[in-house]
Amino acid sequence: MAGGISLKELAAELKLAPSTVSRALNDSYEISDATKKRVISMAEKLNYHANPFARSLRENKSKTIAVIIPERINNFFAQVVDGIEEIAQEHGYHLLIYNTHEDLERERKIVNLLLNGRADAIVMSVTSQTSDISHLQKLHDRGLPIVFFDRIRADIPTTKFITNDYESAFEGTKHLIKQGCTKIALLTLGKDLSISQERQRGYSDAILSEGMELNPALTLYCSHEEPHNVKLIQELLLSSDRPDGILSSAEKLAFATYQAIKRTKLRMPSDVKLISFANSSIAGLLNPSLTTITQPALSIGNECAKLLIKKLTKPKHYELLDQVITIPSQLTIRESTLQE
């Protein structure tokens, strides 16, 4: 039969119910391997081709995962997206990527768009402004599978993937102290962010554990505007409270620090040492090369996707548990924190 046959005709030929044939062709766990083999060989023999579009309409599934990130230029988020895509493609899913540009209003609009059935599931990292979460609550209440990574909301009962932000910041600060730093500044973004709070806690605890004083003037709340950050950091470096060590909680703040130091007469690492959370491949090429805390971005992306695909392929058998899964970061020591 050159033109192929319909699912109903194939089922009649096999003397099976169309729903059984359909499940066998979709490799459903409810159908025995023997039946699957029989159905597939008959389908090939009779030239049966499924209409994937008709099927996705019938199932009301778009085979799409939406990924919501706060910024695109950040290497960490780009690598997480690669990790999600790697697994999604293997299972025939494609990604819709939305960038909130750190804007809560934009995040709300994207979420409302997704409430209308644009995607089967969502992977998300919230903006630094996200304090009201009613829009996220609505997504969860609607039953749309959602997992969070990095910047998470503990109050939405689902699985979240993070790295060990507290321990990494603690270890990074301890490293600066070991290198002789006595006045350590913290550069951070957004007070509401889960990761900022954890990194700040690690920084504070490391300083206190050494019996040193915590100076609030050494915590710098930065923005998403590079010129503004460079100016803020430069002012700190020229102040009477000048730090001799800096822990940067975001890659872009480390780059701003290089620029700020360039505008002063200070030298790194002799006058000021710098360590940063960063996923940039150029950390080793900077002058001096940058000591980094690197997040396992690709693994986080992989794990988010694996979990959602399990949930989408076996919805009745798989729950997204309310849990936080931690994949540890890695400290790589380079010239920016070494004693000359």
Side-chain angles (χ1 to χ4, degrees):
M1 294 188 183
I5 62 163
S6 73
L7 180 75
K8 265 197 181 114
E9 290 168 314
L10 175 61
E13 195 66 39
L14 286 156
K15 299 188 173 46
L16 290 170
S19 59
T20 305
V21 173
S22 170
R23 286 207 295 271
L25 291 167
N26 283 319
D27 198 18
S28 165
Y29 60 95
E30 299 161 290
I31 305 296
S32 74
D33 284 347
T35 305
K36 282 181 197 169
K37 279 198 183 105
R38 215 180 111 221
V39 169
I40 289 163
S41 74
M42 183 64 84
E44 282 170 359
K45 191 171 138 195
L46 298 178
N47 194 18
Y48 168 77
H49 295 292
N51 177 344
F53 189 66
R55 191 172 77 218
S56 80
L57 277 178
R58 233 184 4 258
E59 292 177 352
N60 200 8
K61 290 268 189 287
S62 56
K63 295 285 265 189
T64 300
I65 293 172
V67 183
I68 307 175
I69 54 174
E71 52 181 356
R72 229 187 222 126
I73 49 165
N74 182 316
N75 286 295
F76 169 73
F77 291 114
Q79 288 166 21
V80 171
V81 170
D82 283 350
I84 296 169
E85 194 165 40
E86 205 171 72
I87 303 293
Q89 279 184 342
E90 277 174 27
H91 293 85
Y93 280 81
H94 51 265
L95 303 189
L96 274 178
I97 299 164
Y98 296 96
N99 185 354
T100 59
H101 297 276
E102 295 285 9
D103 179 351
L104 178 57
E105 235 359 88
R106 219 179 254 219
E107 185 179 271
R108 282 206 184 101
K109 281 188 179 132
I110 291 164
V111 164
N112 284 334
L113 197 67
L114 295 172
L115 277 167
N116 300 328
R118 274 249 169 134
D120 303 332
I122 298 168
V123 181
M124 179 172 189
S125 198
V126 301
T127 80
S128 50
Q129 304 177 351
T130 308
S131 44
D132 167 35
I133 57 149
S134 49
H135 57 303
L136 303 178
Q137 197 59 58
K138 211 185 285 178
L139 265 186
H140 183 260
D141 294 347
R142 186 71 63 87
L144 204 60
I146 177 168
V147 301
F148 291 95
F149 72 93
D150 192 50
R151 302 165 172 206
I152 61 173
R153 291 304 312 204
D155 17 26
I156 305 282
T158 184
T159 303
K160 300 111 186 160
F161 288 93
I162 60 165
T163 184
N164 54 343
D165 288 300
Y166 170 83
E167 289 83 358
S168 299
F170 186 91
E171 193 187 340
T173 308
K174 281 280 211 187
H175 169 66
L176 288 172
I177 294 167
K178 225 185 272 163
Q179 297 304 104
C181 298
T182 55
K183 264 188 157 178
I184 299 167
L186 172 71
L187 310 180
T188 185
L189 296 165
K191 290 185 171 91
D192 289 320
L193 278 179
S194 51
I195 56 166
S196 299
Q197 290 164 1
E198 284 300 285
R199 290 172 189 180
Q200 190 161 356
R201 221 165 52 79
Y203 156 82
S204 303
D205 284 0
I207 288 173
L208 295 172
S209 75
E210 292 287 332
M212 292 158 72
E213 294 258 322
L214 254 188
N215 178 354
L218 288 174
T219 294
L220 213 55
Y221 292 97
C222 300
S223 73
H224 296 282
E225 303 303 317
E226 175 131 331
H228 172 73
N229 292 338
V230 174
K231 192 165 165 290
L232 267 184
I233 298 163
Q234 190 180 344
E235 282 165 9
L236 178 69
L237 291 170
L238 296 172
S239 72
S240 55
D241 264 331
R242 179 173 82 73
D244 55 5
I246 295 174
L247 171 69
S248 159
S249 70
E251 181 176 287
K252 62 176 158 198
L253 302 181
F255 296 153
T257 303
Y258 274 85
Q259 288 193 50
I261 288 174
K262 217 175 183 172
R263 292 182 184 181
T264 66
K265 291 210 164 68
L266 299 171
R267 284 172 58 235
M268 178 157 66
S270 50
D271 299 314
V272 61
K273 295 177 171 50
L274 172 67
I275 183 170
S276 182
F277 281 84
N279 276 62
S280 173
S281 55
I282 65 158
L285 305 175
L286 295 168
N287 188 16
S289 57
L290 176 63
T291 293
T292 53
I293 297 162
T294 305
Q295 296 160 275
L298 209 64
S299 306
I300 288 175
N302 282 170
E303 294 307 314
C304 286
K306 281 179 192 165
L307 199 64
L308 280 181
I309 283 162
K310 263 187 200 167
K311 174 69 184 161
L312 291 169
T313 46
K314 297 184 178 178
K316 288 188 180 66
H317 290 247
Y318 204 81
E319 274 312 302
L320 290 175
L321 301 173
D322 185 9
Q323 60 179 340
V324 176
I325 296 170
T326 306
I327 306 175
S329 285
Q330 189 181 2
L331 174 66
T332 305
I333 296 166
R334 296 191 184 91
E335 293 160 0
S336 69
T337 55
L338 293 177
Q339 286 166 323
E340 286 189 304

